[in-house]
Amino acid sequence: MAHSTFFAAICMLILSHSGVKATTFTIVNKCDYVVWPGILSNAGVQALPQTGFTLQSGETTTISAPTSWGGRFWGRTHCSQDSTGKFSCLTGDCGSGKVECLGNGAAPPATLAEFTLDGAGGLDFFDVSLVDGYNIPMLVVPQGGTGQNCTNTGCVVDLNDSCPSDLKVMSTDGSDGLACKSACEAFGDPQYCCTGAYGTPDTCKPSSYSEVFKTACPRAYSYAYDDKTSTFTCANADYTITFCPTPNTSQKSTQGQQNTETTPTSTSPTLINGTMVYEGGLDESGAGASSPSSSKLTHVVGITMAIWWSWQLF
C-alpha cells in the first residue's frame, strides 16, 4: 500500500512537470514606430489576462496562454487618444475605446496571427492570415517545437505601398498607404468572400487580388480556403511573434505615435524554401540556442531520475 501511494505521488509529480504546459508567446516590435498589439480569444475559450497593450519600438513582452487556448494576435497602428480619453487606431482598431480590446476583434484590414493550441493529435495549429487584409509585416517563429510542418510563417514584406490602388487604405492627407484591404472587404462579392455559391473549397478559388498577397507572402493565408500552403503545426512549442522582422521605416509617425528614430538597414529579399523573406527576417528562430521547451525537458528528466533513485530505496 505504501508503495502504491508513493507511486501515485510520483506520477502526479511527473505529470505536474512534464504534462501539457502553458505556451509562451513572445511579442517583439522591431518596427521603428509604436505598435499596439491586440489579442482576441476564440469563442468558448478563456480570455487571456491581457487583451491589448502598448509596445514601443524595440520592446518585447511575453504572454502565457493556458493549455488548449485558441485565438489571434494582431498589431494596431496610428493610434491616439482624443480629448475625452477615447482610444482609437487607424488600422486594426478593436472598437473598445481603450488600449485593452476587451473581447473585440480587429477591424479589417489587419494582418492576423491565429493559433489553436493542443488541437488534433496534441498539435498546435497556427497561421498568419491576410484574409482580412494587411496592415503590418509579421513573422511567427516556433521555439523548441517538433513536427514535420513546424516552421516559420508570416508576411515580412511591406505591402502597404505596393497594394493595388482599389484595395489601398490611404492616410487622411492621402500621402501614405496605411493598409491593404482584402477584395472581400473592398467589393463584398461572394466570389471574393467565399460565401453563397462560392462557400466551398471547390467553388472558391484564388483571385487576381488574393494572388497579389500570395506572391508576396507565399506562406500566409491569401483567401479563405488557402489551407494547403498556409497552416502549420507544432508539438510542445513556444512562439515568437515579431512585427516588422526587419527594420521598417515606411510607416511615418502620426499624432500619438511617439515615433522612435532608428537607422534604416538596407535589406534585399531572399527566397528560402520558396518563401520571400528579408535578410535577418528569420533571426528569431533561436537556432543553436537553448529553447524554453528544451530547458523544461532537461528539468523533467532530472526530476524523473531523482524519483527513480528514490524509488529504489523503498
Side-chain angles (χ1 to χ4, degrees):
M1 178 64 71
H3 281 190
S4 298
T5 302
F6 183 72
F7 185 74
I10 289 175
C11 290
M12 290 300 294
L13 183 59
I14 292 175
L15 286 173
S16 69
H17 286 83
S18 63
V20 180
K21 64 179 182 65
T23 298
T24 298
F25 292 98
T26 302
I27 318 296
V28 182
N29 180 14
K30 288 192 175 181
C31 304
D32 69 343
Y33 48 86
V34 184
V35 175
W36 287 263
I39 306 172
L40 176 65
S41 299
N42 292 341
V45 175
Q46 181 179 357
L48 299 183
Q50 281 185 298
T51 60
F53 54 95
T54 303
L55 200 60
Q56 298 286 340
S57 176
E59 280 191 339
T60 297
T61 193
T62 58
I63 295 173
S64 182
T67 303
S68 301
W69 181 81
R72 55 183 54 180
F73 298 83
W74 70 95
R76 293 168 288 172
T77 66
H78 301 279
C79 302
S80 61
Q81 198 170 42
D82 66 16
S83 59
T84 68
K86 182 181 178 181
F87 179 83
S88 62
C89 304
L90 295 185
T91 79
D93 190 62
C94 56
S96 67
K98 302 179 182 298
V99 174
E100 294 272 354
C101 284
L102 305 175
N104 294 337
T111 312
L112 304 175
E114 303 174 315
F115 294 86
T116 298
L117 305 181
D118 191 28
L123 296 174
D124 300 340
F125 290 75
F126 63 98
D127 65 79
V128 168
S129 175
L130 308 181
V131 175
D132 287 342
Y134 167 100
N135 72 327
I136 189 171
M138 181 188 290
L139 179 69
V140 175
V141 179
Q143 303 288 348
T146 60
Q148 293 182 346
N149 201 26
C150 184
T151 189
N152 307 347
T153 186
C155 185
V156 304
V157 179
D158 190 340
L159 297 179
N160 289 329
D161 289 333
S162 60
C163 180
S165 59
D166 44 359
L167 302 182
K168 185 176 289 190
V169 177
M170 300 298 296
S171 59
T172 52
D173 63 4
S175 61
D176 291 300
L178 302 184
C180 193
K181 295 180 181 179
S182 68
C184 175
E185 183 194 1
F187 309 119
D189 193 311
Q191 67 174 320
Y192 298 135
C193 299
C194 294
T195 57
Y198 298 91
T200 69
D202 292 332
T203 57
C204 191
K205 302 298 182 182
S207 68
S208 58
Y209 293 104
S210 71
E211 289 292 348
V212 171
F213 292 147
K214 198 64 177 178
T215 299
C217 305
R219 293 188 185 182
Y221 262 88
S222 60
Y223 75 106
Y225 292 110
D226 190 13
D227 300 273
K228 292 182 179 180
T229 60
S230 306
T231 300
F232 300 88
T233 56
C234 286
N236 302 316
D238 294 312
Y239 299 92
T240 298
I241 302 171
T242 303
F243 299 112
C244 306
T246 58
N248 182 301
T249 58
S250 65
Q251 278 201 63
K252 298 178 176 63
S253 62
T254 59
Q255 183 179 3
Q257 280 288 121
Q258 302 176 18
N259 189 54
T260 302
E261 294 296 331
T262 61
T263 302
T265 300
S266 176
T267 58
S268 59
T270 302
L271 286 176
I272 298 180
N273 294 331
T275 299
M276 182 180 291
V277 298
Y278 281 89
E279 296 294 347
L282 304 183
D283 288 346
E284 294 79 14
S285 62
S290 176
S291 70
S293 295
S294 63
S295 298
K296 292 172 184 175
L297 178 60
T298 302
H299 184 55
V300 169
V301 171
I303 290 174
T304 304
M305 290 301 296
I307 291 172
W308 185 84
W309 280 111
S310 298
W311 176 254
Q312 304 307 306
L313 299 177
F314 282 78

